[in-house]
Amino acid sequence: MSTRGVETDEQQRIRFQVELEFVQCFANPNYLHFLAQRGYFKDPAFVNYIKYLQYWKEPAYAKYLKYPMCLHFLDLLQYEHFRKEIVNGQCARFIDDQQILHWQHYTRKRVKLLQSQAEKHMMTIQNEPTPQKSV
Amino acid sequence: MTSHKSTREVLLTCIDDIEIIAKELLDNLIAQKQQKPVSAEHSQLVELVLQKDTELKATLKLAEEQGVLQQKVVALETEVERHDIEIRNLQKQLKEAEQLLATAIFQAKQKLQAIDKANSRPVNSEELIKFAHRISASNAVCAPLNWQQGDLRRPYPTDIEMRLGFLGRLGEMNVNGHMSFPELLHRPNHSMQQGSSVPNSQAGTYSWLSQNDLQMPGLSVSHLGVGGGMDHKTPKKENEDVDVMSTDSSSSSSSDSQ
């Protein structure tokens, strides 16, 4: 590797992009499982890198994130227990399922709201003709 | 003081005594008819009766005075009771007031804390809106309304998206172009056609970064030293990862709808 000097602007920019993408990859539990299976989480250098990546939690950096839930996984990864657990395929699948269900939470809520609104509307429409008939 | 009898007892004993003496007298009078008169005893008894009578009258007077005093006492007691009730009422009201004030102060303190907290980390509302738009427009935090089972879109970057991103391309160039990473750093525009800066040239290829915001205004340089040792290792690792990930059984590799 080259000698560690001051990074040029260009290098900094590239490093920013690289780390931005990499930290957001953590939002994918399958990727985490993949990394765990290949033993990356046992490498102390990698563990230090994950610790270093926590700077993405600061607002100045976090505003560039498209998948903010990666920060939650970043936090979880700081714990050795989680790093050990995610080697298990069942664990990864469970997290994936829960993530997708949570992802659908707002959609489900909105659908329910719309349905109840539609039902109310139907009822008011049905109730309208009857007073006229009685007259 | 325990030897003092109550006025009622005194009266009653007086009356009993008079009763006894009266009985004696009458016995004597009856006996007088049959036997010799015992006048000395008789007069003594009469004197005794008179004495007891005066005692009785005195005690009665005492009882009267005591009665008057007792009424005063009762009146005073009712006054005291009344004052007591008023004091208790006041106490209750004071306690309620104290509680209300305490709640009000607590809530006010909380509000102040919230204000301080908000002031300490102010966020530009425009930035907030930009961020909110970024994370929701691409369905990253909320599922698309027509999402069904089997739809490939996910709340996280899928492996295809990862491969299409900057990291993936970095890996390709490394493997295919046989360029070392330091060279790559110095020649980022090799594969890109446009512009002088890397961010602008990546405009259409991936959905990770929003093109306008990549100027990195005022980002601190403090991460330079810390991240230094990791930079060379990890991108190369990502290259391996991205290539090998196609063998990952849990993610499908059919075409991405996005």
Side-chain angles (χ1 to χ4, degrees), chain B residues 135-149:
Chain B
I135 59 179
S136 24
S138 54
N139 293 317
V141 288
C142 181
L145 290 172
N146 53 357
W147 196 87
Q148 299 293 332
Q149 278 279 53

Side-chain angles (χ1 to χ4, degrees), chain B residues 48-62:
Chain B
L48 212 53
V49 164
L50 287 173
Q51 193 190 354
K52 283 293 170 185
D53 188 43
T54 43
E55 254 184 56
L56 187 66
K57 284 201 177 83
T59 327
L60 276 174
K61 206 174 168 192
L62 188 63

Side-chain angles (χ1 to χ4, degrees), chain B residues 94-152:
Chain B
L94 273 174
K95 231 181 175 164
E96 277 176 21
E98 188 201 12
Q99 214 177 7
L100 282 171
L101 281 173
T103 339
I105 287 179
F106 178 68
Q107 286 177 348
K109 270 196 189 149
Q110 278 192 321
K111 280 203 183 130
L112 278 174
Q113 275 178 5
I115 291 175
D116 282 335
K117 211 168 149 186
N119 280 342
S120 64
R121 291 159 70 97
V123 179
N124 192 0
S125 61
E126 227 183 82
E127 280 184 23
L128 262 183
I129 294 174
K130 266 196 231 167
F131 183 65
H133 185 260
R134 180 176 314 162
I135 59 179
S136 24
S138 54
N139 293 317
V141 288
C142 181
L145 290 172
N146 53 357
W147 196 87
Q148 299 293 332
Q149 278 279 53
D151 191 333
L152 287 169

